[in-house]
Amino acid sequence: MKTIFPENFEDLERSGIGKIAVQGLGMEGVYPLWFGEGSEPTPKLIRDAAVAALDAGETFYNIPRGRPDLRAALKTYNDTIYGIDLHPDRIHVPASTMLTVMIATHMVIRPGDHALIVTPHWPNVEMALKWAGAEIGHFRQHAEDGKWALNVSGLMDACLAHTKMIYLNSPCNPTGYVMERPDQEKLLDFCRDRGIVLVSDEVYHRSVYDRNSAPSFLEFAGDDDPLIVVNGFSKGWAMTGWRLGWMVTPKGYEEQMAVLCEIYNTGGPSFVQIGAIAALEKGEGVVHDLRQGYAESLAVANDILGNHRRVDHTAPEGAFYAFPRIKGIRDGLAFAEGLLIDAKVGVAPGYTFGPGNQTHVRMCFAMKTDKLEQALRAFTHYLDTH
Ligand SMILES: Cc1ncc(COP(=O)(O)O)c(C=O)c1O
């Protein structure tokens, strides 16, 4: 059939996460470890604020760049956790972290520009970059001394003359890698020198298990640095279905960002933003409780995965995924499909997180410990019998 659409439209293909999830959603008794979210609904204090806002008639258009009270709350939140004084004009509130990634991509990339992704990586980023016409390069994290690590000098060497963007996600989905401050400084210095925009995806900033928040580039970057920090409410406050994110861009672009926020979707729903204000202003306890639960689940995952002969597991420092390599398999998608059908354990196949991951799987462990233990026992039983 002759196509009426451009080639890169015809080429679009769902990620491996979606391929498993569509088969498993609705399956009786399935353990859903495929998506990046916990099993519990958003805490009540946040839900109550949004319900009250709806009842009060907060159903109208609002300022596309985000409600002023939410942007003020975001300034206070960032200032407090990072000990900074963020310029308010730098903060914008698109409807989801995904949308902040898309907006950042379109701010920086024109067809043919090179974008370097630190991999293994969340597949949507690569899809967004492809859709924008980027030529994509990957630079891989590696396991070292029992944790995931990144050779920052190697990453810098992998940049080309036409590299316009580096995408880094720390804490990382799927590996849990966390970049520490000295490496952050080195990387931002390099980007400044080379005029490369660093897109720092910090959506898991509260999902770290040895401190209150992960190191952020915002802690030391200047107002004019070539840095876009993308973040959101989904992970830290268990608000995945609410679809609200925020982004911090260099100073001086309020006008342009207002236009982008307007043309992408004219801002997040007002009552959702009011829920987000409650999350920021009253939600520290929620963040701590959620994290405590994930930490307990992480211990279960480390114990079970770390002690199976066919599982090569590197313990994550942050986020809420395990990304083990499974010994003795060749095709991760076929493995994930078999695992889903026979053991009712739904995992994301490794290939979807970038090259070199065909024998890995990603498992979200943000689940209550008893259920997670059952899921992982079903998984290891499958390995023992296949
Ligand atoms: C690394 C990363 N960035 C961004 C997102 C998108 O988050 P949101 O659901 O808020 O759009 C995700 C979601 O899984 C993610 O893992």
Side-chain angles (χ1 to χ4, degrees), residues 29-101:
V30 74
Y31 297 106
L33 309 183
W34 46 56
F35 288 143
E37 62 186 353
S39 45
E40 300 305 303
T42 307
K44 190 167 175 343
L45 82 88
I46 303 172
R47 297 196 319 256
D48 284 350
V51 169
L54 263 178
D55 286 344
E58 287 287 349
T59 57
F60 296 96
Y61 283 134
N62 213 291
I63 293 171
R65 211 162 64 78
R67 290 176 59 106
D69 46 1
L70 174 55
R71 279 188 280 118
L74 276 165
K75 174 178 160 50
T76 306
Y77 171 79
N78 280 279
D79 286 358
T80 309
I81 62 167
Y82 299 135
I84 55 176
D85 181 14
L86 197 54
H87 195 287
D89 292 353
R90 297 179 60 198
I91 305 170
H92 327 283
V93 193
S96 80
T97 320
M98 181 62 239
L99 189 55
T100 67
V101 171

Side-chain angles (χ1 to χ4, degrees), residues 169-186:
N169 169 218
S170 162
C172 175
N173 168 11
T175 64
Y177 160 72
V178 175
M179 185 180 272
E180 300 295 344
R181 175 75 168 266
D183 277 347
Q184 289 183 324
E185 288 179 356
K186 202 164 140 185

Side-chain angles (χ1 to χ4, degrees), residues 11 56 59 66 71 141 167 174 192 206 220 233 258 287 303 318-319 323 361 369 379 386:
D11 287 349
T59 57
R71 279 188 280 118
Q141 303 159 40
Y167 170 85
R192 208 179 281 131
R206 303 308 300 274
F220 65 94
F233 293 91
V287 169
D303 180 37
F323 193 59
V361 294
T369 46
F379 170 68
H386 286 76

Side-chain angles (χ1 to χ4, degrees), residues 139-152 175 177-178 183 312-317:
F139 188 82
R140 197 174 165 76
Q141 303 159 40
H142 60 279
E144 190 177 294
D145 301 330
K147 50 186 199 173
W148 287 92
L150 181 71
N151 175 350
V152 176
T175 64
Y177 160 72
V178 175
D183 277 347
D312 181 6
H313 169 68
T314 303
E317 284 182 273

